[in-house]
Amino acid sequence: MLSASTASTGRFLGISAKSSDTLKPKRQAKSEADKLNIRTARYNLQRHSQSLFFDETAEKQHRVCSCHRNLAGDSLAIYRKVDSSDARVSGLVSCGSAWVCPVCNAKITEARREQMQQAITAHAKAGGSCLLLTLTFPHTYEVSLEESLERFADALDRFKDSRTYKRIFGTSLASIAHSEARNKPLKKITPGQHQTIGSVRSLEVTHGQNGWHPHTHQVMFMQNEALLDDRRAIDELTHTWVDALLKAGIGDHSNVNDMLAHALDLRGGDYTADYVNKFGREPGLYEGWTIAHEVTKANSKAGYKFVNGDYHATPFQLLRASLEGNTEAGMLFREFGRCFEGKRMNYWTNGLKDWFGLNDVADEDLAAENPVEEVGEELVLFLNPQEWKMILAVNARAELIRIAAERGKDGVLDFLDELPRRQATHQSGFKVNRPRGLWAGAY
């Protein structure tokens, strides 16, 4: 809890902390060299994440430890695009962790972002509007991430269950339609002053000089933007959110004015799609993390973003700092991984995906590799477990994919012939996962 002495140093982080040049993205086509560097960075970060979470005394390892390492069967297949633009290895286990696996994160968040964009586009074509609601709170270094998440979740529940929230937003139209379609109508429907179709909430966390800071970005699918001009309703929502924070043990009455000024932000326009999937970030050319519609600038070598003299690091920026030798960053990333394991990245209002005709696909399915040849691909060759073991020993997964894409079968065969002459740099053990009841091998 913040005291009067720490009220001035407790920091808020929300949209208002973002510099204006990050809000208008400029998309630039990536060269083949850029794509290779990005893939290499992802694999290196994933390998380091595996080392951070591996526990030789544990009977069961964190799922990231097996990702793109363990085999799903007895062999691996390499496929490449017929135009030589890319390649992939099929037959590997994917962990499906968007929180601590940079490889799976890239696939999952891209799919989630596309899904979000489809909903936003469909809503706009139907004449609706999207607002972005950001909820944040003052934080200090002494509070652990676990405690911050517990208090924040408590405050969120209090806020959404409040009379003010229900009176202003009402029962979502998507929930009403969903219940009626299942012949299970809601017992109580509350009309809203500014009726919402539904919402999608994204949980984000950063770490800075004032410790861990969880916060949410929530896309509100509205019939119009009238709420933006309703100052009284916004003030009521702000006071209700601050009251929820205080009851959850966050902040105190000595810094209520700061909380009222910064804890809730509501805006419309073009910000929505960019912010709801903040973890949709790629390791771009070792200059920091970015999402498809946002370019992060002013990063230090470790990837930290400085705002008003304070750094803000995303979890994957902490992972990279750990890879570069920062022991504390590694400890923080492990703390983050433990606290976020099992949490969802996005929370959709019940029935909202049905409202927009979207499928509900699990993260694990989005991250999984297609086991068969896709349209526009050709089979390069199969790898056996011994060959895969050599590739892991020299950390050459990204190199293998590049060679397969550029040179095909002959290139991969030359690569495999050359591998035994290289010095091993990494652990090369892995397992072969087989259907239940069959022997699962280890190499």
Side-chain angles (χ1 to χ4, degrees):
M1 182 180 297
L2 292 178
S3 64
S5 61
T6 59
S8 61
T9 58
R11 297 299 179 93
F12 292 84
L13 181 60
I15 295 179
S16 58
K18 309 296 181 183
S19 58
S20 60
D21 60 354
T22 64
L23 299 179
K24 299 297 182 180
K26 295 181 180 179
R27 304 193 69 176
Q28 297 179 348
K30 295 184 179 71
S31 67
E32 295 304 318
D34 291 344
K35 292 178 181 178
L36 174 62
N37 288 344
I38 289 173
R39 178 180 283 124
T40 300
R42 284 193 193 131
Y43 277 135
N44 287 338
L45 287 169
Q46 184 200 55
R47 199 67 192 257
H48 189 62
S49 180
Q50 291 171 344
S51 70
L52 289 175
F53 285 100
F54 178 75
D55 182 359
E56 60 183 9
T57 65
E59 293 185 6
K60 185 177 181 180
Q61 299 296 334
H62 191 288
R63 55 178 170 160
V64 73
C65 296
S66 65
C67 189
H68 282 233
R69 183 183 187 92
N70 287 0
L71 275 62
D74 292 315
S75 64
L76 301 173
I78 303 177
Y79 296 102
R80 76 163 180 168
K81 298 288 187 182
V82 294
D83 62 1
S84 302
S85 62
D86 201 3
R88 65 185 179 93
V89 179
S90 176
L92 292 170
V93 172
S94 296
C95 70
S97 173
W99 298 118
V100 301
C101 178
V103 175
C104 289
N105 172 277
K107 298 181 67 174
I108 293 169
T109 53
E110 181 60 27
R112 297 298 184 207
R113 183 165 48 250
E114 290 176 358
Q115 194 173 54
M116 171 60 62
Q117 191 59 58
Q118 290 175 20
I120 292 172
T121 300
H123 190 56
K125 288 182 178 179
S129 299
C130 287
L131 304 182
L132 185 64
L133 175 66
T134 298
L135 299 175
T136 182
F137 62 91
H139 55 294
T140 58
Y141 202 89
E142 295 77 16
V143 181
S144 68
L145 178 56
E146 181 178 13
E147 183 178 352
S148 291
L149 288 173
E150 289 178 354
R151 293 184 182 182
F152 190 42
D154 184 16
L156 286 171
D157 288 341
R158 293 175 183 273
F159 182 57
K160 293 196 69 175
D161 288 340
S162 68
R163 293 181 180 178
T164 299
Y165 187 95
K166 294 177 180 179
R167 172 170 49 81
I168 292 176
F169 292 118
T171 305
S172 70
L173 298 183
S175 294
I176 297 173
H178 181 68
S179 61
E180 291 178 348
R182 299 174 63 193
N183 293 320
K184 295 182 179 180
L186 298 175
K187 295 181 179 180
K188 183 178 181 180
I189 296 177
T190 304
Q193 295 176 0
H194 300 278
Q195 190 74 41
T196 176
I197 308 299
S199 66
V200 182
R201 188 176 76 241
S202 175
L203 176 63
E204 180 182 353
V205 66
T206 59
H207 190 274
Q209 293 175 357
N210 287 277
W212 289 108
H213 184 224
H215 48 287
T216 62
H217 300 295
Q218 186 169 349
V219 176
M220 311 294 296
F221 290 86
M222 311 294 290
Q223 296 173 323
N224 51 56
E225 291 192 349
L227 178 58
L228 294 178
D229 297 321
D230 191 342
R231 190 66 254 173
R232 179 176 178 177
I234 295 176
D235 287 344
E236 287 182 302
L237 288 170
T238 301
H239 280 80
T240 301
W241 171 239
V242 170
D243 182 62
L245 289 173
L246 293 172
K247 290 179 178 178
I250 300 175
D252 58 41
H253 290 283
S254 67
N255 62 340
V256 164
N257 288 336
D258 285 341
M259 296 170 72
L260 290 172
H262 302 291
L264 183 147
D265 182 273
L266 181 69
R267 61 181 65 193
D270 300 328
Y271 306 97
T272 308
D274 292 342
Y275 279 92
V276 73
N277 284 311
K278 291 300 292 183
F279 279 94
R281 299 172 183 264
E282 297 176 345
L285 298 182
Y286 229 60
E287 292 176 354
W289 289 76
T290 181
I291 56 175
H293 305 295
E294 181 182 10
V295 178
T296 301
K297 300 182 179 180
N299 287 340
S300 69
K301 181 179 179 182
Y304 297 151
K305 181 175 182 179
F306 284 87
V307 178
N308 299 326
D310 186 12
Y311 78 85
H312 302 294
T314 68
F316 281 128
Q317 288 165 345
L318 292 172
L319 176 61
R320 194 178 68 186
S322 174
L323 176 62
E324 295 176 344
N326 189 317
T327 303
E328 182 183 4
M331 295 173 61
L332 290 170
F333 186 76
R334 282 197 297 269
E335 180 184 2
F336 160 77
R338 288 193 298 268
C339 290
F340 272 72
E341 178 67 17
K343 293 186 181 297
R344 287 186 294 170
M345 295 190 74
N346 301 133
Y347 295 81
W348 290 65
T349 294
N350 192 31
L352 187 59
K353 287 187 178 180
D354 290 339
W355 182 278
F356 292 115
L358 300 173
N359 294 325
D360 193 8
V361 184
D363 287 351
E364 291 78 6
D365 294 330
L366 292 174
E369 286 286 351
N370 190 342
V372 299
E373 184 176 310
E374 298 178 351
V375 176
E377 287 185 336
E378 61 183 7
L379 176 65
V380 177
L381 52 72
F382 291 97
L383 292 175
N384 61 46
Q386 289 75 23
E387 291 168 333
W388 183 242
K389 188 178 182 72
M390 288 193 301
I391 292 167
L392 290 177
V394 295
N395 197 29
R397 292 177 297 172
E399 185 180 359
L400 167 68
I401 293 174
R402 176 183 63 81
I403 292 174
E406 295 177 352
R407 300 176 55 200
K409 180 177 180 179
D410 290 341
V412 174
L413 290 174
D414 290 342
F415 170 72
L416 293 175
D417 288 340
E418 183 263 337
L419 279 183
R421 295 189 290 273
R422 295 191 188 183
Q423 182 69 34
T425 57
H426 291 70
Q427 295 292 326
S428 59
F430 63 91
K431 294 182 179 180
V432 178
N433 298 352
R434 291 185 173 87
R436 188 181 299 275
L438 296 180
W439 176 77
Y443 290 81

